[in-house]
Amino acid sequence: MITFKRLSVEKRILSLITTIILVLLVIGASVFYRSVQVVAAQKEVSNDTHVIVDLDQVLISLLDMETGQRGFLLTGNPDYLAPYLSGKRVIAKNIANLRLRLQQNSTSPSLLTSLNQHIANKERELKTTILLRKKHGFSSSIRIVDTNYGIQQMNEIRKDLSILRSIYLQRVTQAQTISRQEMHITLWLMIIGTVVFTFFLWFAYRQIILDLRAKRLLTERLELESSHDSLTQLPNRRFFLDRLRYSLDLAKREGDKLALLYIDLDGFKPLNDVLGHAFGDQALVLVSKLFLGVKREGDVLSRLGGDEFAILAPHVNDESEITVFAQRLLDAFSDPDIQRLSVRLGASIGISFFPSDAHRVDDLLHAADEAMYRAKRSGGRQFQFYRTQLTEELTREQRLRNDLPSALEKGEIQVWYQPFVKASNQCITGAEALIRWQHPDFGLLLPGDFLPQAEKAGLLPRIAQEVIRVSIAELKTWITLNPDLTLSINLSAQDCLSPGVILSALETALIEHHISAHHVEIELTESSLIRPEADYVIHELHRFGVRLAIDDFGTGYASLEYLSRFPVQKIKIDRSFVKHLPDDPYHQKLVPAMVTMAHSLELDVTAEGIETFDQEQFMQEIQCDYLQGYRYGRPMQSTDFVKMIQTYLPKS
């Protein structure tokens, strides 16, 4: 049965049919054999019955002959001889039949011989008395009768007939018994055959139905898997593109409008990295359910892959209708289940329309994708409609991405410096190295203009190498003017993926310029620290002796964990907390608490984004250690920073 279950449906059906045929052939052969036995037994019964009848007929004929003889003897009337004559003929015929049947049945020939002899004697006795009666009268014939010779012969005949009759009665009984047994066996075989045939029919029907049902379920499951996402059960990219093509063709025929919303989750990657893929999958399922609860009837929601979703909205009247819909999608992230996540999720949504933005599937998707990236670059957690200028921006971004490798070789990537000062006396204590690109066509570009493209191209480690090489060479000049100055260098999350490259560049530059590692401070954002590679990079940097700082403190994920986990010496309070000072009551409490906490952990604190006297005074009052911002200088080239150092040299 185990082997049977492994067969395909077709082979299983063939196996069942073969089995049924074999079983029925065996049963049929047995039934045929039993039927032949029954027929043979019945034939024997018929033959033996005829023998018994012939035996009885012989006795009756003899009695008739004897009766006719007695009547003729008594009356002399020849009419009484009719039974004698007819009986004689019948006996002759019966004796011939008996001889033939007895020979066929292999009955003892002595019995037949004895019977024939006794019948012949009886016939002679009858014939003798009749002849005497005819010639000599009654008295002569009666003397023969009185001798009882005829009675003795009749008794012998009766005895022989009785023996033969009992033999054949026994044979008839045995044959009938055999016939009944064979008929019973045949009947049971037919019943068994019927039951077996019925069972196999039921079993075959059940197996075939189950197999067909399993095949149908498998086909349905495969169709579902080929058209739906296995995690969220939403339509997948293939299904969505097919529906989009159909909807576009329908909209073209009917002159209708439709909208395409391209959705990318914000904050999902940190959640996936910090909490693991299983938790990320749960978040995707939760988001898909929220989207299903928001989407309109007739809309098609799909998970395209990863954390990307798309919604096809047919029969759109105007842009304002989709504006309300897109805002509802963003508002869905205020759900309590989403809010309970340790990483705040959101979405960037790009929207394109048919026929105003595109007429083909690929163009409509491309337009929505461009709008989505525009929303993400603008800070995320918002929606953007596709506009023609987006194409121009993406063309410019592609140009920057293509020009970056040659820019590194040509020296177009420059390092500028923004000073930071000691809060207590505003003396310059060092500078942060910041990247700029002097593009031949687009002019001077800020980091936000080209670093996202560098990240996509995987060039951030090369840029970090260039910053380390150039800035540490400049640091050599600074130290000759003021030996207490430090250099702050930023490393990105992508830099942590190439720790060997960064560490080698840093070690080479420090050795080449004979600079102690304590003059260098490495800034890592909290988004960098969540990567598993951060452990190795930070501990290797600490081994070098460089100072470590957490940049943009308070804007990332699980900030307090990093303070206890990594050997950092400084935190930099993000400018988003400083810009509200000193007027905002919430930040008036939050920022001092951050400074107090850092000091309790023996960490220095730098406040970024200081632009006003009031902000400076507030930070001094809460005993912040270092200040950085436009109040002390905008990012500048190295020559300008050297002049600034010379101007603010500490007095002896």
Side-chain angles (χ1 to χ4, degrees):
M1 188 61 67
I2 294 175
T3 305
F4 183 77
K5 289 184 178 178
R6 294 176 181 172
L7 299 176
S8 64
V9 177
E10 293 79 8
K11 290 183 178 180
R12 201 176 297 183
I13 295 173
L14 180 61
S15 177
L16 284 170
I17 293 174
T18 304
T19 304
I20 291 172
I21 291 174
L22 290 175
V23 171
L24 291 180
L25 282 175
V26 171
I27 294 176
S30 181
V31 169
F32 177 77
Y33 172 76
R34 300 296 175 183
S35 299
V36 170
Q37 294 294 99
V38 169
V39 171
Q42 292 296 330
K43 187 175 181 181
E44 283 188 23
V45 169
S46 176
N47 186 57
D48 292 346
T49 302
H50 282 94
V51 170
I52 294 172
V53 170
D54 287 340
L55 292 173
D56 291 342
Q57 191 63 45
V58 167
L59 180 60
I60 293 171
S61 297
L62 285 171
L63 292 173
D64 287 343
M65 289 175 67
E66 190 174 51
T67 301
Q69 177 226 27
R70 298 295 173 88
F72 178 72
L73 292 178
L74 293 173
T75 63
N77 187 353
D79 292 338
Y80 284 101
L81 293 177
Y84 167 79
L85 296 175
S86 64
K88 189 175 182 179
R89 290 192 301 270
V90 171
I91 287 174
K93 180 179 178 181
N94 288 339
I95 289 297
N97 290 337
L98 281 171
R99 184 177 294 110
L100 179 62
R101 289 192 174 98
L102 292 176
Q103 289 175 352
Q104 290 176 351
N105 294 331
S106 301
T107 306
S108 175
S110 60
L111 288 174
L112 181 60
T113 302
S114 174
L115 178 64
N116 286 335
Q117 184 64 44
H118 291 140
I119 290 174
N121 292 337
K122 180 64 177 177
E123 287 181 344
R124 280 196 302 271
E125 186 267 333
L126 292 175
K127 183 178 179 182
T128 300
T129 56
I130 291 172
L131 290 175
L132 287 174
R133 177 68 173 88
K134 286 180 179 181
K135 291 180 179 181
H136 304 289
F138 176 77
S139 61
S140 297
S141 61
I142 199 66
R143 285 194 297 270
I144 295 176
V145 174
D146 288 340
T147 63
N148 294 325
Y149 178 77
I151 295 173
Q152 293 175 0
Q153 293 298 322
M154 198 65 184
N155 289 336
E156 292 294 332
I157 291 172
R158 288 179 185 275
K159 180 180 177 181
D160 291 341
L161 288 175
S162 176
I163 293 172
L164 287 171
R165 196 174 190 281
S166 64
I167 291 173
Y168 279 91
L169 279 175
Q170 185 177 3
R171 286 169 58 89
V172 168
T173 302
Q174 290 176 348
Q176 287 178 337
T177 302
I178 292 173
S179 178
R180 284 195 296 271
Q181 289 175 348
E182 296 296 337
M183 289 182 67
H184 289 161
I185 293 173
T186 302
L187 178 62
W188 277 110
L189 284 173
M190 293 179 67
I191 293 173
I192 291 172
T194 303
V195 171
V196 170
F197 181 70
T198 304
F199 169 76
F200 272 107
L201 280 181
W202 171 83
F203 185 74
Y205 173 79
R206 181 176 176 272
Q207 288 297 320
I208 292 170
I209 291 300
L210 290 177
D211 284 336
L212 292 176
R213 184 180 301 169
K215 204 169 186 179
R216 176 175 57 80
L217 292 175
L218 178 61
T219 302
E220 291 176 355
R221 184 167 64 84
L222 290 176
E223 289 178 354
L224 181 65
E225 289 178 354
S226 67
S227 61
H228 285 69
D229 173 51
S230 59
L231 176 63
T232 62
Q233 303 304 312
L234 294 177
N236 59 16
R237 178 184 290 271
R238 175 185 172 186
F239 181 91
F240 184 78
L241 292 179
D242 289 343
R243 183 59 62 89
L244 181 57
R245 291 188 188 95
Y246 171 78
S247 299
L248 273 178
D249 292 340
L250 185 63
K252 289 175 184 177
R253 289 196 301 269
E254 298 182 355
D256 202 358
K257 296 180 181 180
L258 61 82
L260 174 63
L261 291 82
Y262 203 104
I263 307 169
D264 187 84
L265 299 185
D266 298 324
F268 177 75
K269 189 175 185 303
L271 180 145
N272 216 30
D273 291 341
V274 173
L275 301 177
H277 293 289
F279 198 88
D281 289 346
Q282 293 179 13
L284 289 173
V285 172
L286 175 59
V287 169
S288 65
K289 290 180 179 178
L290 293 176
F291 285 169
L292 284 172
V294 172
K295 81 176 187 70
R296 309 171 312 163
E297 185 176 358
D299 292 347
V300 179
L301 170 64
S302 168
R303 182 191 176 203
L304 301 182
D307 60 342
E308 294 181 346
F309 296 81
I311 298 178
L312 169 63
H315 313 301
V316 175
N317 296 320
D318 52 37
E319 192 173 289
S320 60
E321 181 181 351
I322 297 301
T323 299
V324 174
F325 178 43
Q327 188 58 52
R328 290 179 61 196
L329 290 172
L330 295 177
D331 293 341
F333 288 91
S334 61
D335 183 89
D337 291 334
I338 291 289
Q339 294 298 316
R340 279 195 289 268
L341 298 175
S342 60
V343 176
R344 190 164 68 93
L345 285 181
S348 296
I349 305 175
I351 306 170
S352 60
F353 290 93
F354 168 84
S356 59
D357 295 330
H359 290 78
R360 298 189 309 130
V361 170
D362 293 341
D363 295 338
L364 198 64
L365 279 168
H366 183 67
D369 188 47
E370 289 182 1
M372 184 273 292
Y373 276 110
R374 173 71 176 273
K376 193 168 284 291
R377 286 195 302 273
S378 299
R381 293 175 172 78
Q382 59 182 286
F383 60 88
Q384 292 280 354
F385 292 101
Y386 172 77
R387 298 290 183 262
T388 306
Q389 59 266 30
L390 289 180
T391 303
E392 298 174 358
E393 290 180 9
L394 290 174
T395 302
R396 181 173 182 270
E397 290 174 357
Q398 185 63 45
R399 167 78 184 281
L400 294 176
R401 192 155 56 246
N402 294 337
D403 291 347
L404 265 171
S406 61
L408 286 166
E409 296 174 359
K410 295 176 181 178
E412 295 175 1
I413 303 298
Q414 301 177 358
V415 182
W416 289 31
Y417 305 91
Q418 185 177 25
F420 45 84
V421 302
K422 194 170 182 63
S424 59
N425 56 16
Q426 286 80 51
C427 289
I428 297 174
T429 59
E432 179 181 0
L434 301 172
I435 198 77
R436 297 291 186 270
W437 182 3
Q438 188 64 49
H439 195 280
D441 296 328
F442 301 133
L444 186 66
L445 300 177
L446 298 177
D449 296 326
F450 64 91
L451 284 185
Q453 309 312 315
E455 183 177 8
K456 291 179 182 178
L459 293 174
L460 288 182
R462 284 189 58 189
I463 292 176
Q465 280 183 289
E466 183 68 11
V467 171
I468 290 171
R469 185 186 67 82
V470 173
S471 61
I472 289 183
E474 296 291 345
L475 177 62
K476 178 69 174 179
T477 303
W478 305 352
I479 293 175
T480 59
L481 297 175
N482 184 350
D484 296 327
L485 293 179
T486 59
L487 170 68
S488 182
I489 301 174
N490 292 284
L491 292 184
S492 68
Q494 195 176 86
D495 295 330
C496 293
L497 296 176
S498 305
V501 174
I502 302 303
L503 295 171
S504 176
L506 181 61
E507 185 175 22
T508 300
L510 291 174
I511 293 173
E512 180 182 353
H513 297 287
H514 306 286
I515 296 175
S516 175
H518 75 270
H519 286 285
V520 178
E521 183 176 86
I522 299 297
E523 296 184 12
L524 293 164
T525 61
E526 291 178 288
S527 59
S528 302
L529 297 178
I530 65 174
R531 306 191 67 90
E533 301 85 1
D535 279 331
Y536 174 76
V537 175
I538 290 176
H539 286 93
E540 284 299 302
L541 290 172
H542 182 66
R543 186 177 63 83
F544 280 177
V546 300
R547 291 172 57 83
L548 297 173
I550 298 180
D551 195 15
D552 302 333
F553 184 81
T555 62
Y557 317 102
S559 305
L560 296 179
E561 177 188 354
Y562 303 131
L563 298 181
S564 60
R565 179 177 168 188
F566 298 120
V568 298
Q569 289 84 33
K570 180 190 288 188
I571 64 170
K572 296 186 72 174
I573 299 176
D574 188 71
R575 66 184 70 249
S576 62
F577 298 103
V578 175
K579 69 179 181 180
H580 300 288
L581 296 174
D583 301 323
D584 184 84
Y586 175 76
H587 289 87
Q588 284 178 356
K589 298 176 182 178
L590 178 61
V591 174
M594 295 168 72
V595 173
T596 300
M597 177 198 66
H599 285 165
S600 67
L601 297 174
E602 299 181 354
L603 302 177
D604 293 333
V605 181
T606 296
E608 298 179 304
I610 303 296
E611 297 181 0
T612 67
F613 172 76
D614 292 338
Q615 291 173 340
E616 177 187 75
Q617 188 176 28
F618 183 88
M619 299 308 296
Q620 287 175 334
E621 290 175 356
I622 64 173
Q623 298 181 349
C624 182
D625 301 295
Y626 301 97
L627 305 177
Q628 184 181 10
Y630 288 171
R631 179 167 176 77
Y632 313 105
R634 293 175 178 272
M636 61 192 73
Q637 293 182 318
S638 178
T639 54
D640 295 329
F641 183 65
V642 170
K643 292 177 183 179
M644 187 176 187
I645 295 173
Q646 292 170 340
T647 303
Y648 291 96
L649 282 175
K651 296 179 182 180
S652 57

